[in-house]
Amino acid sequence: MLFRWEGSRSRAAANGKGSDPAQLVSELGVHPLVARLLCNRGLSDAARAEPFLHPRLTDLHDPARMPGITEAAHRLDKAVRDGQPIVIYGDYDVDGVAASTILYHILKLAGGEVHTYIPHRVEEGYGLNTEALLSLGKAHGSRSPLIISVDCGITALEPARAAKDAGIELIITDHHEFAEEGFPDASILVHPRLRGSGFSVPGSELKNSQTRNPESGTRNPYPFPDLCGAGVAFKLAWQFAKVHTGSERVPEAFRKLLLDLLSVAALGTVADVVPLVDENRIITTFGLGQVKRTRFIGLNALIDAANLREEKIDAFHVGFVLGPRLNACGRLGHAADALRLFTTEDESEAKKLADYLSKINDDRRATERAITEQAKQMVVDLGYDHVDRRAIVLGCEGWHTGVIGIVASRLVETFNRPTVMLNFDNGEAHGSARSVLGVSIHEALSACSHHLSTFGGHAMAAGLRMERSRVDAFREELIAFINQKLAPEDLLPVIQIDADCALSDVTIELVQQVQALAPFGRDNPAPVLCVRNVQVAEPGRRIGTSGTHLRLNLRHERCLLQGIGFGLGELAEKLPRGAMVDVVFEPKINIWGDQRRPDMHVKDIRLV
């Protein structure tokens, strides 16, 4: 057994609400196991479960409810009509590129003069930076641009102040955590967790009497706070289309573009690992369905370069095939190339860019593997895997800052601890942090912020910078903080079991109903089932070119079922014919030619 097995506790029960799967079976006609899975997700009544199973675009919240968004839409409309240059300043990850793409296309359709800017990950670092803002403010001579950020800026207090002092008008749209010191002094702030904007557009009729503190005001909070940057940009694009056309029901050209932009918003939503519930679920469901029908030649070129033309593209393909290609150029090159891919109208250029992204992704993987192996050895050699050190902080010269965030994720997977990876360069330490469920790395960094020059991010991931001389003190303080948050038993990796079932329950019909819960991701994980006391029908067999995977045949009474355990090949010798086992698995459908049969993706095995 590789994991500590735990039963999944119903969110409905945790919230003090009743949970009755039988009612869902009766009212929705779902399999009893699927009813249990819905209850585990807090969807214990048909009124909430039905829209989850059958999401509708009409269930998206009115974008006008988001603080600052109507003011931003009017200001962008004024810029378009006045012929004022608009500069979209985006982040260098998939979410930032997707958000930039969304605003670019909607503003271009309206006839705007649109420019884009994405900072270099290594040379400039995360977020708005003062030098870039001041340079962009002068780039158009006497024609002062309107700069709008996407997926960054909510903590950029100093850059926003410098831009204001230089007479540069700045709109900030973001979804990240706020700075403890307050909010940037921008013309307009757009953020789903602000309680009221209190901002007005200079020279327009949108004046109001709200205080300038963005957390105050009478406006109702936005109903869903967990949009990613691309989600916020999509809602702004929608509101802009309404304002620009003067209609709640936008004309056909804008409606078609917004539907197409859902595919881009889905890329950002999945890649940024935000909760795949509520609006994020709707955006991802319809966006993924739109991906292969997209009119964007760059996205089509990327699909072809990744050999996904014949696949049904789902969240897995975005997270592990398309997303890494888009991220790779930002990590080892410049993310502006990914944005060019999504904005070019030249098919030849799109193909070259898509092929380049695939190649640089191969380079990224090689670099990542080398650093990961070195870092894992360092953890063991330095004793950071001991139970009294429940966080990892590693630093080294020459580590590529573009990939150490991924390496931090690999160490979290291996050692089940919050991890900080730092590159040392010229007396400075610059890097990325990743966390485990139940521990906010943003909160942890805030507790140690007196050691840091800058930091930003959210509960599961963050970036940071500090003087190299402060790393040792930072490490000890962070470990002390995390030690208070995690108990020793929390260091064992856990696999959450949604429900027990019989081998005979695993049918094509059941798997199809389970797949209706997709797209899977954060807060809506792929369901994990458990069959207990079943018999190994044939000896476990190693498969794959190097024998790293396991083929398993199971029997219970007259029922036979096959399973495959990726990376579990070493267990084959421990599973002779006749052995009795408990098996944790994800139910799948195996398609071979015209044949379809239920299958098990085995996660873990325990000898009875």
Side-chain angles (χ1 to χ4, degrees):
M1 189 172 71
L2 304 177
F3 296 89
R4 177 160 51 96
W5 295 7
E6 289 187 358
S8 182
R9 187 165 66 106
S10 165
R11 293 196 190 103
N15 293 332
K17 300 176 182 178
S19 174
D20 186 6
Q23 183 181 0
L24 294 180
V25 173
S26 172
E27 295 186 23
L28 298 179
V30 296
H31 191 286
L33 269 172
V34 174
R36 167 53 58 194
L37 298 177
L38 289 167
C39 288
N40 287 348
R41 285 154 174 74
L43 305 168
S44 54
D45 61 84
R48 299 178 64 197
E50 196 280 333
F52 183 88
L53 290 172
H54 307 288
R56 298 180 295 265
L57 280 175
T58 52
D59 290 335
L60 288 172
H61 305 303
D62 183 353
R65 298 179 67 178
M66 189 178 298
I69 204 166
T70 299
E71 292 92 329
H74 276 276
R75 184 61 188 89
L76 288 169
D77 179 56
K78 185 177 187 302
V80 169
R81 296 182 186 280
D82 292 349
Q84 182 183 12
I86 301 171
V87 179
I88 302 168
Y89 190 121
D91 190 21
Y92 43 63
D93 64 0
V94 177
D95 192 22
V97 169
S100 300
T101 300
I102 290 167
L103 278 195
Y104 176 88
H105 283 290
I106 201 76
L107 293 171
K108 290 291 285 187
L109 179 61
E113 180 187 333
V114 190
H115 307 270
T116 60
Y117 184 84
I118 294 183
H120 192 282
R121 177 190 288 264
V122 177
E123 296 176 5
E124 297 178 81
Y126 168 77
L128 299 176
N129 72 78
T130 300
E131 184 177 346
L133 287 175
L134 297 181
S135 177
L136 291 169
K138 299 174 182 176
H140 302 276
S142 60
R143 300 168 64 237
S144 179
L146 171 65
I147 301 178
I148 179 167
S149 78
V150 290
D151 192 36
C152 62
I154 199 64
T155 61
L157 276 61
E158 289 301 325
R161 186 176 299 116
K164 182 179 181 180
D165 291 343
I168 299 170
E169 189 175 356
L170 175 65
I171 299 174
I172 289 176
T173 78
D174 202 352
H175 73 111
H176 290 98
E177 299 288 343
F178 307 137
E180 290 185 357
E181 300 86 347
F183 295 89
D185 191 5
S187 298
I188 303 169
L189 298 182
V190 180
H191 194 296
R193 287 197 296 277
L194 292 175
R195 290 201 293 271
S197 70
F199 290 87
S200 57
V201 181
S204 80
E205 73 283 6
L206 294 172
K207 305 283 185 183
N208 61 59
S209 59
Q210 294 185 46
T211 174
R212 198 165 173 76
N213 179 359
E215 282 203 306
S216 65
T218 58
R219 190 172 305 175
N220 291 330
Y222 191 68
F224 183 64
D226 293 322
L227 289 169
C228 67
V232 174
F234 179 80
K235 302 309 285 283
L236 176 55
W238 181 3
Q239 185 66 12
F240 168 81
K242 293 196 297 181
V243 168
H244 183 72
T245 63
S247 172
E248 285 291 314
R249 182 173 174 79
V250 300
E252 184 71 8
F254 282 91
R255 187 160 62 251
K256 284 184 175 180
L257 177 59
L258 285 168
L259 286 172
D260 216 6
L261 289 172
L262 278 172
S263 61
V264 182
L267 296 182
T269 301
V270 173
D272 217 48
V273 201
V274 289
L276 287 188
V277 297
D278 202 283
E279 284 198 297
N280 288 338
R281 176 173 174 80
I282 298 170
I283 289 171
T284 304
T285 299
F286 287 93
L288 290 176
Q290 189 71 21
V291 166
K292 289 177 65 174
R293 298 196 296 267
T294 182
R295 294 175 295 165
F296 298 136
I297 60 175
L299 182 51
N300 274 313
L302 187 65
I303 291 169
D304 291 334
N307 297 314
L308 293 180
R309 183 56 60 187
E310 303 304 318
E311 299 286 339
K312 181 182 178 182
I313 296 176
D314 58 19
F316 171 84
H317 296 106
V318 172
F320 294 95
V321 183
L322 298 177
R325 282 168 164 78
L326 293 170
N327 258 331
C329 63
R331 295 183 184 281
L332 298 188
H334 201 304
D337 291 324
L339 183 55
R340 279 174 54 217
L341 175 69
F342 282 164
T343 56
T344 184
E345 298 178 1
D346 185 319
E347 289 190 9
S348 175
E349 182 185 31
K351 185 180 185 308
K352 289 179 182 177
L353 285 168
D355 290 342
Y356 166 71
L357 263 58
S358 292
K359 178 187 179 301
I360 204 167
N361 187 51
D362 291 338
D363 297 340
R364 185 272 307 168
R365 286 191 292 185
T367 303
E368 174 200 327
R369 279 195 298 269
I371 297 176
T372 298
E373 290 308 311
Q374 181 186 0
K376 285 181 177 179
Q377 191 61 52
M378 289 174 66
V379 170
V380 175
D381 292 345
L382 296 171
Y384 292 163
D385 56 341
H386 292 175
V387 71
D388 60 337
R389 302 183 76 77
R390 296 166 209 160
I392 295 169
V393 179
L394 294 179
C396 186
E397 290 186 1
W399 279 350
H400 199 297
T401 54
V403 303
I404 57 178
I406 308 177
V407 176
S409 296
R410 299 286 177 262
L411 295 190
V412 169
E413 292 169 4
T414 303
F415 299 103
N416 210 46
R417 291 160 164 78
T419 298
V420 178
M421 291 284 292
L422 299 166
N423 176 57
F424 297 153
D425 184 33
N426 291 326
E428 191 172 59
H430 175 210
S432 297
R434 298 292 185 269
S435 195
V436 296
L437 289 176
V439 177
S440 168
I441 196 64
H442 187 273
E443 178 189 3
L445 294 180
S446 296
C448 308
S449 60
H450 51 282
H451 293 297
L452 306 178
S453 305
T454 60
F455 75 98
H458 48 77
M460 298 302 293
L464 66 158
R465 190 185 297 266
M466 73 186 87
E467 295 176 8
R468 181 173 177 176
S469 60
R470 302 189 74 100
V471 170
D472 290 342
F474 165 76
R475 178 188 294 113
E476 297 308 312
E477 195 162 323
L478 182 74
I479 289 173
F481 181 88
I482 299 298
N483 282 357
Q484 294 178 341
K485 297 289 184 178
L486 294 177
E489 55 269 24
D490 294 329
L491 301 179
L492 289 174
V494 173
I495 188 164
Q496 291 283 351
I497 300 170
D498 283 89
D500 283 14
C501 68
L503 210 60
S504 58
D505 286 328
V506 187
T507 63
I508 290 285
E509 293 73 24
L510 170 72
V511 181
Q512 288 174 333
Q513 287 196 32
V514 169
Q515 289 179 342
L517 304 181
F520 299 123
R522 182 179 162 195
D523 283 11
N524 184 39
V528 175
L529 304 179
C530 181
V531 290
R532 299 183 189 272
N533 208 31
V534 296
Q535 189 177 55
V536 177
E538 298 291 339
R541 182 161 55 93
R542 287 178 178 265
I543 60 173
T545 54
S546 55
T548 55
H549 310 310
L550 171 71
R551 170 60 72 187
L552 195 62
N553 290 275
L554 300 173
R555 174 189 289 119
H556 184 257
E557 297 178 346
R558 294 184 178 183
C559 181
L560 285 169
L561 201 63
Q562 281 193 341
I564 183 169
F566 293 101
L568 301 181
E570 62 185 23
L571 298 180
E573 289 75 19
K574 302 175 183 178
L575 299 169
R577 178 188 288 118
M580 304 303 292
V581 293
D582 297 340
V583 180
V584 175
F585 68 99
E586 293 179 18
K588 301 285 184 179
I589 294 177
N590 186 300
I591 301 175
W592 182 262
D594 295 332
Q595 302 261 329
R596 300 169 79 247
R597 61 175 174 78
D599 203 359
M600 310 166 75
H601 279 200
V602 177
K603 311 287 287 184
D604 203 7
I605 304 169
R606 178 169 61 192
L607 286 168
V608 176

